[in-house]
Amino acid sequence: MTKKLKWVSFVIAALLVFLAACSNNGGGKEPSAAPPATGGPTSDAGDVENNLGVKPVTFSFYGHYDWMTTAPWGDNEATKWIQENLKVNVNPVQAGGAPEEKLNTMIVGNDLPDVIFTDRGAVVERLIKAGKLVALDEYYDKYPNFKKYVKESTFNLLRSEDGKIYQIPNWYTAGTFGNGGWMVNKDIYNELGGPKLETFDDLYDYLLQVRDKYPNVVPLEVGEKGAGLDIMYGGFKENATSHDIGLKGYPDGDKLVSIFEDQAYKELVLYINKLFRERLITQDALQQTQDAVKEKVNTGRVAVMIESNITTYGAEGHRALTNANPDSGYEIIWPIRKAGLDKDKIFVSGFESLGWNVNVITTEAKDPEAIFAYYDWITGPEGQKVLFFGPKGLFWDEENADGSPIPNEAYKTGDVNERTEKMRKFEDFNWAGNTTFIDTAKMSLEMALSENQRSWETIAQSTVTWATSKDVTEYVNTEPIPETEIGVILQNVNDIYTVAFAKMVHAKSDEEVLAVLEQAKKDSNKAGLDKLLQFRTEKWQENVQKINAGH
């Protein structure tokens, strides 16, 4: 985090405290009395349980991310159907590429949006303490769908320090979920004879061939700002993911131990440096933008790629290449691993039952219950079908016994790439994604198609990415508030790590890598890493108790 962003976060915290002091009730708006049910969809939505309480409402929605731009409401078939049938309208508020500054401006102007879409953690907790969020417990008890699909242990982990729930989870799950992985360029792989690609030794040999034969191709693509480099960690150790690197500690019994002490991490940075020194990885890997990565992938100038969101890169790149040549494209592969490790104990990514991000309803909302009722509809079967597959009559006309849509002729015979792109636009508005329902429905629908009609993403998920993703829910909520002593320690440790990692990637020898690693360990210990890991260990063990209580 830059000094500028640090300053902004302190300003936001101070402003929120000021707003809390000025608040009349000091504790946020309590759930309002339930309005009478006004029915739900007025067209052919059918008699489904999640119609209960859906009420016409208009609300503002702000996505607190620099990458997020919310498209106009009603511009695609899904949101247009919602607009016309549910009488729900959304006014997007854009971050404009500067979310911290945007939120700061809204706070200063006392002009918060009705809904904020953000990560769990510091922003949410600050808004709660400032009394600016609506507690949702009563609504969760009243409306049916979240109660049905969210595990009790997940609800326990969503609770804030005051015991209330202010957050609506997105892409939560009761099963396995993951989009990280490895893929290969089919043309290059086949031209080189389709060699074995199972271990890091195999990968190294293959990348050398690519470098020597295809000078304009990136042998190993590692994503925006080198994000895929950390992902390789899971290949050096059984039952581990790069989530340990984010924690700066790996589990050893019931405590977290410094990542700098981990043999697998040492092997990882030595391997990365070897690839970088031999120009098998883009030399600007740590600086490259997402657009630059996509351009390489979509033009076929990537031989192998590892990324935490490989399904998105792969699906888009595969569409681009197969549009020109149906036999080209990318293929998902089982994760690369260290020789001697069990392939079935290798994980690329981690998932949390709480999902990815959350929605919070602010006290600016005139009818918070109506907004929640809409979100409960979203997360139920009807909402998930509309916001993932499109409204009835577009790509499906009937359902099977499980409630999953049955593909119609338009789905079966239409262009796969065009259909996938259209559905991706629907999904952008699926702010209460129900992974449990969607995974079942998507697989049911796709398996009804012939193999060449199935989406690249679905094939990748069903064959590899879900099976190689590990549940790391027990480590949620272990981030300290930035302005606290532990929060400052975390920032200092992260700064030390970021600089050290860049030095290890660019080091001229193994010896230099190990020297930087040793210095980073000393500097982190001096900065208070032990206190950070103790804090996270305590939070982790509290989570374990909450999860066990929810079973």
Side-chain angles (χ1 to χ4, degrees), residues 2-183:
T2 64
K3 290 182 179 179
K4 179 180 178 182
L5 288 181
K6 283 185 185 176
W7 179 85
V8 169
S9 69
F10 278 106
V11 171
I12 290 174
L15 286 164
L16 287 170
V17 170
F18 172 75
L19 286 171
C22 295
S23 173
N24 289 330
N25 59 25
K29 186 184 293 184
E30 291 298 320
S32 59
T38 57
T42 56
S43 68
D44 61 350
D47 183 19
V48 295
E49 63 179 8
N50 51 16
N51 281 352
L52 178 64
V54 175
K55 173 184 175 183
V57 65
T58 297
F59 61 91
S60 54
F61 173 93
Y62 166 64
H64 188 57
Y65 297 102
D66 58 5
W67 49 262
M68 186 174 183
T69 300
T70 306
W73 190 254
D75 266 17
N76 61 59
E77 291 91 339
T79 56
K80 185 176 179 62
W81 187 94
I82 292 169
Q83 187 178 58
E84 293 177 350
N85 292 279
L86 295 183
K87 310 304 180 189
V88 172
N89 288 283
V90 176
N91 297 321
V93 177
Q94 312 294 2
E100 300 296 341
E101 288 84 348
K102 179 66 175 181
L103 183 59
N104 184 24
T105 299
M106 291 189 291
I107 292 170
V108 170
N110 199 24
D111 187 29
L112 285 171
D114 299 323
V115 174
I116 297 175
F117 186 63
T118 186
D119 289 335
R120 299 184 306 272
V123 170
V124 174
E125 293 305 317
R126 288 171 181 156
L127 288 166
I128 291 171
K129 289 178 180 177
K132 304 307 290 182
L133 298 185
V134 177
L136 307 174
D137 302 68
E138 186 175 326
Y139 304 153
Y140 273 120
D141 288 338
K142 178 177 178 180
Y143 292 89
N145 289 310
F146 284 112
K147 272 194 302 188
K148 178 177 179 180
Y149 289 100
V150 178
K151 297 191 298 184
E152 185 62 31
S153 59
T154 300
F155 276 127
N156 290 341
L157 293 171
L158 282 172
R159 294 190 185 281
S160 295
E161 290 180 3
D162 63 3
K164 298 177 182 179
I165 302 177
Y166 297 86
Q167 304 172 87
I168 300 172
N170 181 40
W171 292 120
Y172 60 90
T173 181
T176 302
F177 177 74
N179 288 314
W182 297 78
M183 69 180 185

Side-chain angles (χ1 to χ4, degrees), residues 224 290 293-294 297 305 307 309-317:
E224 181 183 4
Q290 185 181 83
V293 175
K294 284 185 175 182
V297 172
M305 184 174 187
E307 231 282 334
N309 198 16
I310 200 72
T311 52
T312 296
Y313 281 107
E316 185 176 321

Side-chain angles (χ1 to χ4, degrees), residues 181-446:
W182 297 78
M183 69 180 185
V184 296
N185 183 313
K186 290 167 63 177
D187 286 342
I188 295 173
Y189 184 70
N190 291 333
E191 287 171 11
L192 291 176
K196 181 166 68 77
L197 272 181
E198 296 177 1
T199 70
F200 285 113
D201 293 334
D202 297 336
L203 177 65
Y204 174 70
D205 292 339
Y206 181 73
L207 298 179
L208 287 177
Q209 292 184 63
V210 172
R211 183 194 66 185
D212 295 342
K213 188 169 182 179
Y214 302 90
N216 296 321
V217 168
V218 177
L220 178 62
E221 179 53 62
V222 292
E224 181 183 4
K225 296 183 179 178
L229 295 173
D230 280 358
I231 307 299
M232 284 195 278
Y233 173 77
F236 284 92
K237 189 177 187 179
E238 293 178 357
N239 299 311
T241 74
S242 59
H243 190 264
D244 295 347
I245 298 177
L247 291 173
K248 299 301 178 288
Y250 67 95
D252 183 11
D254 60 356
K255 65 178 181 177
L256 294 173
V257 178
S258 169
I259 195 70
F260 299 115
E261 304 281 357
D262 189 17
Q263 178 62 28
Y265 183 75
K266 181 190 293 186
E267 293 173 359
L268 168 72
V269 292
L270 286 170
Y271 186 77
I272 289 172
N273 175 257
K274 176 182 178 181
L275 298 186
F276 192 83
R277 287 202 318 260
E278 300 193 31
R279 306 185 74 81
L280 302 177
I281 299 174
T282 306
Q283 298 298 287
D284 65 345
L286 300 182
Q287 292 82 38
Q288 64 181 348
T289 65
Q290 185 181 83
D291 287 343
V293 175
K294 284 185 175 182
E295 193 276 331
K296 287 182 283 184
V297 172
N298 294 350
T299 55
R301 294 188 294 110
V302 167
V304 183
M305 184 174 187
I306 179 171
E307 231 282 334
S308 60
N309 198 16
I310 200 72
T311 52
T312 296
Y313 281 107
E316 185 176 321
H318 189 76
R319 289 197 301 272
L321 297 187
T322 54
N323 278 336
N325 179 3
D327 295 325
S328 295
Y330 292 96
E331 183 174 347
I332 197 81
I333 63 172
W334 199 259
I336 307 295
R337 65 189 184 278
K338 177 184 173 181
L341 298 185
D342 185 341
K343 78 177 188 68
D344 294 322
K345 294 181 181 179
I346 299 300
F347 296 96
V348 175
S349 56
F351 71 93
E352 301 166 353
S353 66
L354 280 71
W356 177 20
N357 37 28
V358 295
N359 304 262
V360 291
I361 301 175
T362 76
T363 52
E364 296 301 311
K366 292 183 174 63
D367 193 345
E369 181 167 358
I371 296 173
F372 184 91
Y374 170 65
Y375 271 87
D376 194 73
W377 176 86
I378 288 179
T379 212
E382 189 69 24
Q384 289 301 287
K385 282 179 287 191
V386 170
L387 284 168
F388 195 90
F389 304 102
K392 183 178 180 179
L394 182 63
F395 293 131
W396 61 281
D397 303 311
E398 299 176 339
E399 303 169 4
N400 63 19
D402 296 327
S404 301
I406 298 172
N408 59 19
E409 284 305 306
Y411 193 104
K412 292 178 180 178
T413 61
D415 182 87
V416 175
N417 294 341
E418 289 181 8
R419 183 188 75 223
T420 302
E421 187 61 31
K422 187 181 288 276
M423 288 172 62
R424 191 169 295 284
K425 290 180 180 178
F426 303 158
E427 189 180 338
D428 287 343
F429 296 90
N430 197 357
W431 303 318
N434 179 343
T435 305
T436 302
F437 178 82
I438 286 299
D439 286 353
T440 300
K442 182 167 60 174
M443 289 305 165
S444 175
L445 186 146
E446 290 282 318

